[in-house]
Amino acid sequence: MTAYRPVDPPARVLMGPGPSDVAPSVLRALGAPTVGHLDPMFLQVMDEVRAMLRPVFGTANEMTMPMSGTGSAGMETLFVNLLEPGDKALIGVHGVFGGRMAEVARRCGAEVVTVDAPWGQALDPDDLMKAAKAKGPFKVMALVHAETSTGVLQDLSPMRAIADAAGALLLTDCVTSLAGVPIDLDKHGVDAAYSGTQKCLSCPPGLAPISFSDRAVTTLKTRKHPVQSWYLDLNLIANYWGGARAYHHTAPVNMNYAIHEALRLALDEGLEARFARHARHAAALRAGLQAMGLELPVKASERLDPLTLVAIPEGVDDKRVRGRLMSDYGLEIGGGLGQFAGRAWRIGLMGAASTPRNLTLCLSALSASLQAEGFKPKADPLAAAAEVLAG
Ligand SMILES: *Cc1c(COP(=O)(O)O)cnc(C)c1O
């Protein structure tokens, strides 16, 4: 018989595209005793999770709660609840996750029109507006706020007017923006949004916070066909998270303790302070990378603070460098996706992992690993980063 040993994970520093380092108190919350999913104590946890999610999303939406599943379950939740077969969807695609949204919408039986942006750039609002006017009306318009595949932040401010021209509900993927950069759903007139727990919330993967405006709820309630997914049907789930508290599925009890603690930490830090921390550390990381002579393919005005895309210099082996960072320093960074596969790295500074210690480790470990490949850094990355941190 095989004798299996208990799982004993090494201590890593997670600076990839997610998961990010989990805060110690969030891990402790996960280990608390499991109670019943209708225990009065747990019902209070659920209410508090909903209440804390609203300011983090920047919304007063009543229908705000975590779905059971990872960020992709949040994506499915929006499309299966808001689309019916034959509906039209306008989807902005500027990376892998926008492409996935289009695929999910197609699988809902929608007629999908995409507007694409070159890899590593934000969507052009003029292109979206042209499609909205020429090819509408649409039931939904969807785009990714923080494209983790390219490190691009999409400005949401022009989007409501475009969605109005399309006659559409406005949907956004906020997986990597939640608790890392301001989202302000209500200010931007977003009708439905989803996120995940393992990026800037620094919680393990497993829940997908979502928020629906009253307008989106009306669309949901006046559907002609039942929601195709029974598990993700918000009409049923809303009755468990609110209203009658009727059993639908067993909520992942301990994951909800964890998100409760992660949200509590975010609000305790203060959202403005948390966003400023992400911005400051991203600026220091970029300064260090550029001091070495590395290139940042995303233009300055479109860069995403929680995730930085950096080009791999000529003659440097992608996998060997990432392997060395992992084996010698316990440091994980992300490889490139799509058109950036083998050509760029993705360095995350998300949530609890966005610290001066981590960015300093990353810059020095990367500098040493690049030198082992024969690359000569132009200047000292740590001095450049320290200068930014000193303000
Ligand atoms: C990570 C991510 C997802 C998918 O979330 P999972 O938790 O991996 O299911 C979706 N969109 C974006 C922008 C992401 O970064």
Side-chain angles (χ1 to χ4, degrees), residues 22-389:
V22 177
S25 67
V26 173
L27 284 178
R28 284 196 295 277
L30 261 182
T34 303
V35 299
H37 66 285
L38 291 171
D39 189 303
M41 175 267 171
F42 186 61
L43 296 183
Q44 189 181 338
V45 170
M46 295 166 79
D47 288 345
E48 291 183 4
V49 165
R50 300 183 64 189
M52 288 192 284
L53 271 175
R54 291 190 188 103
V56 182
F57 266 125
T59 185
N61 288 341
E62 169 61 23
M63 189 179 274
T64 302
M65 62 205 177
M67 301 295 287
S68 304
T70 66
S72 305
M75 185 188 290
E76 296 257 7
T77 299
L78 262 57
F79 291 102
V80 294
N81 281 278
L82 295 174
L83 287 175
E84 300 194 49
D87 282 346
K88 287 178 71 175
L90 175 61
I91 301 191
V93 178
H94 61 116
V96 166
F97 294 104
R100 276 199 196 169
M101 291 201 299
E103 174 63 15
V104 171
R106 276 184 212 106
R107 290 184 185 207
C108 292
E111 188 188 319
V112 174
V113 173
T114 64
V115 168
D116 297 74
W119 214 255
Q121 293 180 28
L123 295 158
D124 183 344
D126 292 339
D127 291 347
L128 283 165
M129 186 57 107
K130 271 185 218 133
K133 287 181 173 159
K135 297 180 180 163
F138 293 92
K139 180 78 163 289
V140 305
M141 165 175 149
L143 49 92
V144 176
H145 185 212
E147 240 313 342
T148 327
S149 62
T150 60
V152 170
L153 180 70
Q154 184 72 45
D155 179 14
L156 294 181
S157 40
M159 297 305 165
R160 181 67 258 169
I162 301 170
D164 285 341
L169 294 169
L170 178 59
L171 278 48
T172 54
D173 174 318
C174 297
V175 175
T176 290
S177 46
L178 192 75
V181 294
I183 296 181
D184 295 321
L185 292 187
D186 290 357
K187 185 175 114 191
H188 294 304
V190 174
D191 290 299
Y194 62 91
S195 189
T197 41
Q198 76 275 24
K199 315 260 167 134
C200 294
L201 267 182
S202 278
C203 191
L207 292 176
I210 55 129
S211 187
F212 274 47
S213 70
D214 291 346
R215 202 150 72 123
V217 172
T218 301
T219 301
L220 167 67
K221 292 205 166 134
T222 53
R223 287 176 64 97
K224 292 198 236 24
H225 311 276
V227 174
Q228 170 271 324
S229 164
W230 178 87
Y231 190 66
L232 300 177
D233 184 342
L234 282 176
N235 288 304
L236 303 175
I237 289 176
N239 242 350
Y240 170 42
W241 278 84
R245 299 289 197 172
Y247 166 69
H248 173 259
H249 69 279
T250 309
V253 173
N254 293 54
M255 267 309 296
N256 278 284
Y257 300 162
I259 193 177
H260 184 283
E261 177 60 12
L263 289 165
R264 202 190 63 75
L265 289 177
L267 295 178
D268 192 49
E269 178 176 6
L271 292 173
E272 291 309 319
R274 192 178 178 91
F275 301 147
R277 172 166 64 86
H278 281 83
R280 185 168 63 249
H281 296 160
L285 175 71
R286 291 170 194 143
L289 295 170
Q290 288 177 313
M292 278 196 271
L294 299 178
E295 277 175 29
L296 309 179
V298 176
K299 72 175 179 201
S301 60
E302 295 178 349
R303 285 181 197 150
L304 176 61
D305 293 332
L307 189 112
T308 294
L309 186 78
V310 56
I312 301 173
E314 203 73 39
V316 168
D317 188 272
D318 168 26
K319 291 217 174 91
R320 204 158 50 215
V321 169
R322 280 191 288 134
R324 190 186 299 267
L325 293 177
M326 181 68 93
S327 62
D328 294 2
Y329 303 91
L331 173 65
E332 178 181 280
I333 66 167
L337 280 184
Q339 292 179 22
F340 289 129
R343 294 176 44 217
W345 290 309
R346 293 178 300 151
I347 304 179
L349 281 170
M350 300 183 184
S354 177
T355 62
R357 184 171 77 165
N358 281 2
L359 74 92
T360 304
L361 167 70
C362 179
L363 288 171
S364 54
L366 193 58
S367 171
S369 305
L370 285 169
Q371 288 178 64
E373 291 282 312
F375 175 86
K376 302 247 175 312
K378 273 202 211 143
D380 177 15
L382 296 187
E387 198 174 315
V388 174
L389 291 176

